[in-house]
Coordinates of all heavy atoms in Angstrom, one line a residue:
M1 N 15.5 17.3 228.4 CA 14.8 16.8 227.3 C 13.6 17.7 226.9 O 13.3 17.9 225.8 CB 14.3 15.3 227.5 CG 13.3 14.6 226.6 SD 14.2 14.1 225.1 CE 12.8 13.4 224.2
S2 N 12.9 18.0 227.9 CA 11.7 18.8 227.6 C 12.0 20.2 227.1 O 11.3 20.8 226.2 CB 10.8 18.9 228.9 OG 10.0 20.0 228.9
E3 N 13.0 20.8 227.6 CA 13.4 22.1 227.1 C 13.8 22.1 225.7 O 13.4 23.0 224.8 CB 14.5 22.6 227.9 CG 14.2 23.0 229.4 CD 15.3 23.4 230.2 OE1 16.5 23.5 229.7 OE2 15.1 23.6 231.5
W4 N 14.5 21.0 225.3 CA 14.9 20.9 223.9 C 13.8 20.7 223.0 O 13.6 21.2 221.9 CB 15.8 19.7 223.8 CG 16.2 19.2 222.4 CD1 17.2 19.9 221.7 CD2 15.6 18.3 221.5 NE1 17.3 19.4 220.4 CE2 16.3 18.4 220.3 CE3 14.7 17.4 221.6 CZ2 16.1 17.6 219.2 CZ3 14.3 16.6 220.5 CH2 15.1 16.7 219.4
L5 N 12.7 19.9 223.4 CA 11.5 19.6 222.7 C 10.7 20.9 222.6 O 10.0 21.2 221.5 CB 10.8 18.6 223.3 CG 9.6 17.9 222.5 CD1 10.1 17.4 221.2 CD2 8.9 16.8 223.2
V6 N 10.5 21.8 223.7 CA 9.9 23.0 223.5 C 10.6 23.9 222.5 O 10.0 24.6 221.6 CB 9.9 23.7 224.9 CG1 9.4 25.1 224.8 CG2 8.9 22.9 225.9
G7 N 11.9 24.0 222.5 CA 12.6 24.8 221.6 C 12.4 24.4 220.2 O 12.2 25.3 219.2
V8 N 12.4 23.2 219.8 CA 12.2 22.7 218.6 C 10.7 22.9 218.0 O 10.5 23.4 217.0 CB 12.3 21.0 218.5 CG1 11.8 20.5 217.2 CG2 13.9 20.8 218.6
A9 N 9.8 22.8 219.0 CA 8.3 23.1 218.8 C 8.1 24.6 218.4 O 7.4 24.8 217.4 CB 7.4 22.5 219.8
V10 N 8.7 25.4 219.2 CA 8.6 26.8 219.0 C 9.2 27.2 217.6 O 8.7 28.0 216.9 CB 9.2 27.5 220.1 CG1 9.4 29.1 219.8 CG2 8.4 27.4 221.4
A11 N 10.3 26.6 217.4 CA 11.0 26.9 216.1 C 10.1 26.5 214.9 O 10.0 27.2 213.9 CB 12.3 26.3 216.1
F12 N 9.6 25.4 215.1 CA 8.8 24.8 213.9 C 7.5 25.7 213.8 O 7.1 26.1 212.8 CB 8.2 23.3 214.3 CG 7.2 22.9 213.2 CD1 7.8 22.4 212.0 CD2 5.9 22.7 213.5 CE1 6.9 22.0 211.1 CE2 5.1 22.3 212.5 CZ 5.5 21.9 211.3
V13 N 6.9 26.2 214.9 CA 5.8 27.1 215.0 C 6.0 28.3 214.2 O 5.4 28.9 213.4 CB 5.1 27.3 216.3 CG1 4.0 28.4 216.3 CG2 4.5 26.1 216.8
V14 N 7.2 29.0 214.7 CA 7.7 30.4 214.0 C 7.9 30.0 212.6 O 7.4 31.0 211.7 CB 8.8 30.7 214.7 CG1 9.6 31.9 213.9 CG2 8.6 31.2 216.1
L15 N 8.5 29.0 212.1 CA 8.7 28.7 210.7 C 7.6 28.5 209.9 O 7.1 29.2 208.8 CB 9.7 27.5 210.5 CG 10.0 27.1 209.0 CD1 10.9 28.2 208.5 CD2 10.7 25.7 209.2
A16 N 6.6 27.7 210.5 CA 5.2 27.6 209.7 C 4.5 28.8 209.7 O 3.8 29.2 208.7 CB 4.4 26.5 210.5
A17 N 4.4 29.7 210.7 CA 3.6 30.9 210.7 C 4.3 31.8 209.6 O 3.5 32.5 208.9 CB 3.7 31.5 212.1
T18 N 5.6 31.8 209.6 CA 6.3 32.7 208.6 C 5.9 32.2 207.2 O 5.7 33.1 206.3 CB 7.8 32.8 208.7 OG1 8.1 33.1 210.2 CG2 8.5 33.7 207.9
V19 N 6.0 31.0 206.8 CA 5.7 30.5 205.6 C 4.2 30.7 205.2 O 3.9 31.1 204.1 CB 5.9 28.9 205.5 CG1 5.4 28.2 204.3 CG2 7.4 28.7 205.5
T20 N 3.3 30.6 206.2 CA 2.0 30.9 206.0 C 1.8 32.3 205.6 O 1.0 32.7 204.7 CB 1.1 30.6 207.2 OG1 1.3 29.2 207.6 CG2 -0.3 30.9 207.0
A21 N 2.4 33.2 206.3 CA 2.2 34.7 206.0 C 2.8 35.1 204.6 O 2.2 36.1 204.0 CB 2.9 35.5 207.2
L22 N 3.8 34.4 204.3 CA 4.6 34.8 203.1 C 3.8 34.1 201.8 O 4.2 34.5 200.6 CB 6.0 34.5 203.0 CG 6.7 35.2 204.1 CD1 8.3 34.8 204.1 CD2 6.7 36.7 203.8
C23 N 3.0 33.0 202.0 CA 2.4 32.3 200.9 C 1.4 33.2 200.2 O 0.6 33.8 201.0 CB 2.0 31.0 201.4 SG 1.3 30.0 200.1
R24 N 1.3 33.2 198.9 CA 0.4 34.1 198.2 C -1.0 33.4 198.0 O -2.0 34.0 197.8 CB 0.9 34.7 197.0 CG 2.1 35.5 197.3 CD 2.0 36.7 197.9 NE 1.2 37.7 197.1 CZ 0.8 38.8 197.5 NH1 0.8 39.2 198.7 NH2 0.0 39.5 196.6
D25 N -0.9 32.0 197.8 CA -2.1 31.4 197.2 C -3.0 30.9 198.5 O -2.5 30.2 199.5 CB -1.6 30.0 196.5 CG -2.8 29.2 196.0 OD1 -3.8 29.7 195.7 OD2 -2.6 27.9 196.0
P26 N -4.2 31.3 198.5 CA -5.1 31.0 199.7 C -5.3 29.5 200.0 O -5.3 29.0 201.1 CB -6.4 31.6 199.3 CG -6.1 32.6 198.3 CD -5.0 32.1 197.6
A27 N -5.2 28.7 198.9 CA -5.5 27.3 199.2 C -4.2 26.7 199.9 O -4.3 25.8 200.8 CB -5.7 26.5 197.9
R28 N -2.9 27.0 199.5 CA -1.9 26.6 200.1 C -1.7 27.2 201.5 O -1.1 26.5 202.4 CB -0.5 27.0 199.3 CG -0.3 26.3 198.0 CD 0.9 26.7 197.4 NE 1.0 25.8 196.1 CZ 1.9 26.1 195.2 NH1 2.7 27.2 195.2 NH2 1.9 25.3 194.0
Q29 N -2.1 28.4 201.7 CA -2.1 28.9 203.0 C -3.0 28.2 203.8 O -2.6 27.9 205.1 CB -2.6 30.3 203.0 CG -1.7 31.5 202.6 CD -2.4 32.8 202.7 OE1 -3.5 33.1 202.5 NE2 -1.5 33.8 202.8
A30 N -4.0 27.7 203.5 CA -5.0 26.9 204.4 C -4.3 25.5 204.7 O -4.3 25.0 205.9 CB -6.3 26.5 203.6
V31 N -3.7 25.0 203.9 CA -2.9 23.7 204.2 C -1.7 24.0 205.1 O -1.6 23.2 206.1 CB -2.4 23.1 202.8 CG1 -1.4 21.8 203.1 CG2 -3.5 22.6 201.9
I32 N -0.9 25.0 204.9 CA 0.1 25.2 205.8 C -0.4 25.7 207.2 O 0.2 25.5 208.2 CB 1.0 26.4 205.2 CG1 1.6 26.0 203.9 CG2 2.2 26.8 206.2 CD1 2.3 27.0 203.1
L33 N -1.5 26.4 207.2 CA -2.3 26.7 208.5 C -2.6 25.4 209.2 O -2.4 25.5 210.4 CB -3.5 27.5 208.2 CG -4.2 28.1 209.4 CD1 -3.4 29.1 210.1 CD2 -5.5 28.7 208.9
A34 N -3.0 24.4 208.5 CA -3.3 23.1 209.2 C -2.0 22.6 209.8 O -2.1 22.0 211.0 CB -3.9 22.1 208.3
V35 N -0.9 22.7 209.2 CA 0.4 22.2 209.7 C 0.8 23.1 210.8 O 1.3 22.5 211.9 CB 1.5 22.2 208.5 CG1 2.7 21.9 209.1 CG2 1.1 21.2 207.4
L36 N 0.5 24.4 210.7 CA 0.8 25.2 211.9 C -0.1 24.9 213.0 O 0.4 24.7 214.2 CB 0.6 26.8 211.4 CG 0.7 27.7 212.6 CD1 2.1 27.8 213.2 CD2 0.2 29.1 212.0
G37 N -1.3 24.5 212.9 CA -2.1 24.2 214.0 C -1.7 22.9 214.5 O -1.7 22.8 215.9
L38 N -1.2 21.9 213.8 CA -0.6 20.7 214.4 C 0.6 21.0 215.2 O 0.7 20.5 216.3 CB -0.3 19.7 213.1 CG 0.1 18.3 213.6 CD1 -1.1 17.6 214.4 CD2 0.4 17.5 212.5
G39 N 1.4 21.9 214.8 CA 2.7 22.2 215.5 C 2.2 22.9 216.8 O 2.9 22.7 217.9
L40 N 1.3 23.8 216.7 CA 0.9 24.4 218.0 C 0.2 23.3 219.0 O 0.3 23.4 220.2 CB -0.2 25.5 217.7 CG 0.2 26.8 217.3 CD1 -0.8 27.7 216.7 CD2 1.1 27.4 218.3
S41 N -0.5 22.3 218.4 CA -1.2 21.4 219.3 C 0.1 20.5 220.0 O 0.0 20.2 221.2 CB -1.8 20.3 218.4 OG -3.0 21.0 218.0
V42 N 1.1 20.1 219.4 CA 2.3 19.6 219.9 C 2.8 20.4 220.9 O 3.2 20.0 222.0 CB 3.3 19.1 218.8 CG1 4.7 18.6 219.4 CG2 2.7 18.1 218.0
L43 N 3.0 21.7 220.6 CA 3.7 22.7 221.5 C 2.8 22.7 222.8 O 3.4 22.6 224.0 CB 3.8 24.0 220.9 CG 4.4 25.1 221.9 CD1 5.9 24.7 222.3 CD2 4.4 26.5 221.1
F44 N 1.6 22.8 222.7 CA 0.7 22.9 223.9 C 0.7 21.5 224.8 O 0.7 21.6 225.9 CB -0.8 23.1 223.5 CG -1.0 24.6 223.0 CD1 -1.8 24.9 221.9 CD2 -0.3 25.7 223.7 CE1 -1.9 26.0 221.5 CE2 -0.5 27.0 223.0 CZ -1.4 27.1 222.1
A45 N 0.9 20.4 224.0 CA 1.0 19.2 224.8 C 2.3 19.1 225.5 O 2.3 18.5 226.6 CB 0.9 18.0 223.7
V46 N 3.3 19.5 224.9 CA 4.5 19.5 225.5 C 4.7 20.5 226.8 O 5.3 20.1 227.8 CB 5.8 19.9 224.5 CG1 7.1 20.3 225.2 CG2 5.9 18.9 223.5
L47 N 3.9 21.7 226.7 CA 3.8 22.4 227.7 C 2.7 22.1 228.8 O 2.5 22.9 229.7 CB 3.5 24.0 227.2 CG 4.5 24.5 226.3 CD1 4.1 26.0 225.8 CD2 5.8 24.8 227.1
Q48 N 2.3 20.9 228.7 CA 1.4 20.3 229.6 C 0.1 21.0 229.8 O -0.5 21.3 230.8 CB 2.0 20.2 230.9 CG 3.2 19.2 230.9 CD 3.9 19.1 232.3 OE1 3.6 19.8 233.3 NE2 5.0 18.3 232.5
A49 N -0.5 21.5 228.5 CA -1.8 21.8 228.5 C -2.6 21.1 227.5 O -2.9 21.5 226.3 CB -1.8 23.3 228.0
P50 N -3.1 19.8 227.9 CA -3.7 18.9 227.0 C -5.1 19.4 226.7 O -5.5 19.1 225.4 CB -3.8 17.6 227.8 CG -3.7 18.0 229.3 CD -2.8 19.2 229.3
D51 N -5.8 20.1 227.4 CA -7.2 20.6 227.0 C -7.0 21.6 225.9 O -7.7 21.7 224.8 CB -7.9 21.1 228.1 CG -7.0 22.2 228.9 OD1 -5.9 22.2 228.7 OD2 -7.6 23.1 229.7
V52 N -6.0 22.6 226.0 CA -5.8 23.6 224.8 C -5.2 22.8 223.6 O -5.5 23.2 222.5 CB -4.7 24.6 225.4 CG1 -4.5 25.6 224.3 CG2 -5.2 25.2 226.7
A53 N -4.4 21.7 223.8 CA -3.9 21.0 222.7 C -5.0 20.5 221.9 O -5.0 20.4 220.6 CB -2.9 20.0 223.1
L54 N -5.9 19.8 222.6 CA -7.0 19.2 222.0 C -7.9 20.1 221.3 O -8.4 19.9 220.1 CB -7.9 18.3 223.0 CG -7.3 17.0 223.3 CD1 -7.9 16.4 224.5 CD2 -7.1 16.1 222.2
S55 N -8.2 21.3 221.8 CA -9.0 22.5 221.2 C -8.3 22.9 219.9 O -8.9 23.0 218.8 CB -9.2 23.5 222.2 OG -9.9 23.0 223.3
Q56 N -7.0 23.0 220.0 CA -6.2 23.5 218.9 C -6.2 22.5 217.8 O -6.3 22.8 216.6 CB -4.7 23.8 219.3 CG -3.8 24.2 218.2 CD -4.3 25.6 217.6 OE1 -4.8 26.4 218.1 NE2 -4.1 25.6 216.3
L57 N -6.1 21.2 218.1 CA -6.1 20.1 217.1 C -7.5 20.1 216.5 O -7.5 19.9 215.2 CB -5.9 18.8 217.8 CG -5.7 17.6 217.0 CD1 -4.4 17.7 216.2 CD2 -5.6 16.4 217.8
A58 N -8.5 20.3 217.1 CA -9.9 20.3 216.5 C -10.2 21.6 215.6 O -10.5 21.4 214.5 CB -11.0 20.1 217.6
V59 N -9.9 22.6 216.2 CA -10.2 23.9 215.6 C -9.2 24.4 214.6 O -9.3 24.7 213.4 CB -10.6 25.1 216.6 CG1 -10.8 26.3 215.9 CG2 -11.8 24.6 217.5
G60 N -7.9 24.5 215.0 CA -6.9 25.1 214.3 C -6.3 24.2 213.3 O -5.8 24.6 212.2
T61 N -6.4 22.8 213.5 CA -5.8 21.9 212.4 C -6.9 21.4 211.4 O -6.5 21.2 210.3 CB -5.2 20.7 213.3 OG1 -4.2 21.3 214.1 CG2 -4.5 19.8 212.3
A62 N -8.2 21.3 211.9 CA -9.1 20.6 211.1 C -10.2 21.5 210.7 O -10.4 21.8 209.4 CB -9.8 19.5 211.8
L63 N -10.9 22.2 211.5 CA -12.1 23.0 211.2 C -11.7 24.4 210.4 O -12.3 24.6 209.3 CB -12.8 23.4 212.4 CG -14.2 24.1 212.1 CD1 -15.1 23.0 211.4 CD2 -14.8 24.3 213.5
T64 N -10.8 25.1 210.8 CA -10.5 26.3 210.2 C -10.0 26.2 208.8 O -10.4 26.8 207.9 CB -9.5 27.2 211.1 OG1 -10.2 27.4 212.3 CG2 -9.3 28.6 210.5
P65 N -8.9 25.3 208.7 CA -8.4 25.2 207.2 C -9.5 24.6 206.3 O -9.6 24.9 205.2 CB -7.3 24.1 207.4 CG -6.8 24.4 208.8 CD -8.0 24.7 209.6
L66 N -10.3 23.7 206.9 CA -11.4 23.1 206.1 C -12.4 24.2 205.6 O -12.8 24.3 204.3 CB -12.2 22.0 206.7 CG -13.5 21.5 206.1 CD1 -13.0 20.8 204.8 CD2 -14.2 20.6 207.1
L67 N -12.7 25.2 206.5 CA -13.7 26.2 206.1 C -13.0 27.2 205.2 O -13.7 27.7 204.1 CB -14.1 27.0 207.3 CG -15.1 26.3 208.2 CD1 -15.3 27.1 209.5 CD2 -16.3 26.0 207.6
I68 N -11.7 27.4 205.3 CA -11.0 28.3 204.3 C -11.0 27.6 202.9 O -11.2 28.3 202.0 CB -9.7 28.7 204.9 CG1 -9.7 29.5 206.1 CG2 -8.7 29.3 203.7 CD1 -8.4 29.7 206.8
L69 N -10.6 26.4 202.9 CA -10.6 25.7 201.6 C -12.1 25.6 200.9 O -12.1 25.9 199.7 CB -10.1 24.3 201.8 CG -8.6 24.1 202.0 CD1 -8.3 22.7 202.3 CD2 -7.8 24.6 200.8
L70 N -13.1 25.4 201.7 CA -14.3 25.5 201.2 C -14.8 26.8 200.7 O -15.4 27.0 199.6 CB -15.4 25.0 202.2 CG -15.4 23.5 202.5 CD1 -16.3 23.1 203.6 CD2 -15.7 22.6 201.3
T71 N -14.3 27.8 201.3 CA -14.6 29.3 200.8 C -13.8 29.6 199.6 O -14.5 30.2 198.7 CB -14.3 30.2 202.0 OG1 -14.9 30.0 203.2 CG2 -14.6 31.6 201.7
V72 N -12.6 29.1 199.6 CA -11.8 29.5 198.3 C -12.4 28.7 197.2 O -12.6 29.3 195.9 CB -10.3 29.0 198.6 CG1 -9.6 28.9 197.3 CG2 -9.7 29.8 199.6
R73 N -12.8 27.5 197.4 CA -13.5 26.7 196.3 C -14.8 27.4 195.9 O -15.1 27.6 194.6 CB -13.8 25.3 196.7 CG -14.5 24.5 195.7 CD -14.7 23.2 196.3 NE -15.3 22.4 195.1 CZ -16.2 21.4 195.5 NH1 -16.4 21.0 196.7 NH2 -16.9 20.7 194.5
K74 N -15.7 28.1 196.8 CA -16.8 28.6 196.4 C -16.6 30.0 195.7 O -17.2 30.3 194.8 CB -17.6 28.9 197.8 CG -19.0 29.6 197.5 CD -19.9 28.5 197.1 CE -21.4 29.1 197.0 NZ -22.3 28.3 196.6
V75 N -15.6 30.8 196.1 CA -15.4 32.1 195.6 C -14.5 32.1 194.3 O -14.7 33.0 193.5 CB -14.5 32.9 196.7 CG1 -13.9 34.3 196.1 CG2 -15.3 33.2 197.9
T76 N -13.7 30.9 194.0 CA -12.9 30.9 192.9 C -13.8 30.9 191.6 O -14.6 30.1 191.5 CB -12.0 29.7 192.9 OG1 -11.3 29.8 194.1 CG2 -11.1 29.6 191.6
R77 N -13.5 31.7 190.7 CA -14.4 31.7 189.5 C -13.7 30.8 188.4 O -12.6 31.0 188.2 CB -14.4 33.1 188.8 CG -15.2 34.0 189.7 CD -15.5 35.3 189.0 NE -16.2 36.3 189.9 CZ -16.6 37.5 189.5 NH1 -16.3 37.9 188.4 NH2 -17.4 38.2 190.2
R78 N -14.6 29.9 187.9 CA -14.1 29.2 186.8 C -14.3 29.7 185.4 O -15.5 30.3 185.2 CB -14.7 27.8 186.9 CG -14.3 27.0 188.1 CD -15.0 25.8 188.2 NE -14.8 25.1 189.5 CZ -15.5 25.4 190.7 NH1 -16.5 26.2 190.6 NH2 -15.2 24.8 191.8
P79 N -13.4 29.8 184.4 CA -13.6 30.3 183.2 C -14.8 29.5 182.4 O -14.9 28.2 182.5 CB -12.3 30.1 182.4 CG -11.6 29.1 183.1 CD -12.1 29.0 184.5
T80 N -15.7 30.3 181.7 CA -16.7 29.6 180.9 C -16.3 29.1 179.6 O -15.3 29.7 179.1 CB -17.9 30.6 180.8 OG1 -17.3 31.7 180.2 CG2 -18.4 31.0 182.2
S81 N -16.9 28.2 179.0 CA -16.4 27.7 177.7 C -16.9 28.7 176.7 O -17.8 29.4 176.8 CB -17.2 26.4 177.4 OG -18.6 26.5 177.5
G82 N -16.1 28.9 175.7 CA -16.3 29.8 174.6 C -15.6 31.2 174.9 O -15.7 32.1 174.0
G83 N -14.9 31.5 176.0 CA -14.2 32.6 176.2 C -15.1 33.9 176.6 O -14.7 35.0 176.7
D84 N -16.4 33.6 177.0 CA -17.3 34.7 177.4 C -17.1 34.9 178.8 O -17.2 34.0 179.5 CB -18.7 34.3 176.9 CG -19.7 35.4 177.3 OD1 -19.3 36.6 177.4 OD2 -20.9 35.1 177.4
D85 N -16.7 36.2 179.1 CA -16.6 36.5 180.6 C -17.9 37.1 181.2 O -17.9 37.6 182.3 CB -15.5 37.5 180.8 CG -15.7 38.8 180.1 OD1 -16.7 39.0 179.4 OD2 -14.7 39.6 180.2
G86 N -19.0 36.9 180.6 CA -20.3 37.3 181.1 C -20.8 38.6 180.7 O -21.9 39.1 181.0
D87 N -20.0 39.4 180.1 CA -20.3 40.8 179.6 C -20.8 40.7 178.1 O -21.2 41.8 177.6 CB -19.3 42.0 179.8 CG -18.1 41.6 179.0 OD1 -18.0 40.5 178.4 OD2 -17.1 42.5 179.1
G88 N -20.9 39.6 177.5 CA -21.3 39.5 176.1 C -20.2 39.6 175.1 O -20.5 39.4 173.9
K89 N -19.0 39.9 175.5 CA -17.9 40.2 174.6 C -17.0 39.0 174.7 O -16.8 38.5 175.7 CB -17.1 41.5 175.0 CG -17.9 42.7 175.0 CD -17.1 43.8 175.4 CE -18.0 45.0 175.5 NZ -17.1 46.2 176.1
D90 N -16.7 38.5 173.4 CA -15.9 37.3 173.3 C -14.4 37.7 173.6 O -13.8 38.6 172.9 CB -16.0 36.7 171.8 CG -15.3 35.4 171.8 OD1 -15.0 34.7 172.8 OD2 -15.2 34.9 170.6
Q91 N -13.7 37.1 174.6 CA -12.5 37.4 174.9 C -11.4 36.3 174.3 O -10.2 36.4 174.6 CB -12.3 37.4 176.6 CG -13.2 38.4 177.2 CD -12.8 39.9 176.9 OE1 -11.6 40.1 176.7 NE2 -13.7 40.6 176.9
S92 N -11.7 35.6 173.3 CA -10.8 34.5 172.8 C -10.0 35.0 171.9 O -8.9 34.4 171.6 CB -11.8 33.4 172.3 OG -12.6 33.8 171.2
R93 N -10.1 36.3 171.3 CA -9.3 36.8 170.3 C -8.2 37.5 170.9 O -7.9 38.1 171.9 CB -10.0 37.8 169.4 CG -11.0 37.1 168.6 CD -11.5 38.1 167.6 NE -13.0 38.1 168.0 CZ -13.8 39.0 167.6 NH1 -13.5 40.1 167.1 NH2 -15.1 38.9 167.9

């Protein structure tokens, strides 16, 4: 039973890591990274490392994706009204 569960957890982690690496949108990457962190937490718990699983749950599943999402939100530029991109030239034409 345990070997089967480890195999499933490893397969899930490999799949989630691959999807994270292939995703182009940073916000989606952060969400998939949270899922990857959850999968790693389960894997560590199955491998009888509860301290590492709890650390992964806190940092890899919650904190890191949250910081990435906040950074993406801060860095993303929103278009201004009127079509002005900041250089004084109207881009609406």
Side-chain angles (χ1 to χ4, degrees):
M1 170 74 180
S2 161
E3 293 173 4
W4 177 80
L5 195 55
V6 170
V8 170
V10 168
F12 179 77
V13 166
V14 168
L15 179 67
T18 304
V19 171
T20 303
L22 294 177
C23 186
R24 303 289 291 168
D25 181 32
R28 286 186 182 164
Q29 278 181 334
V31 172
I32 299 169
L33 184 65
V35 173
L36 173 61
L38 187 61
L40 282 170
S41 295
V42 169
L43 180 62
F44 291 139
V46 169
L47 292 175
Q48 298 179 355
D51 52 340
V52 181
L54 287 173
S55 298
Q56 178 64 34
L57 190 62
V59 175
T61 303
L63 189 63
T64 303
L66 177 65
L67 289 175
I68 292 171
L69 285 173
L70 290 174
T71 303
V72 167
R73 181 177 176 209
K74 182 80 172 177
V75 171
T76 304
R77 294 186 179 185
R78 294 177 188 88
T80 58
S81 61
D84 185 16
D85 63 357
D87 63 357
K89 298 177 184 173
D90 187 14
Q91 300 292 329
S92 60
R93 289 184 245 162

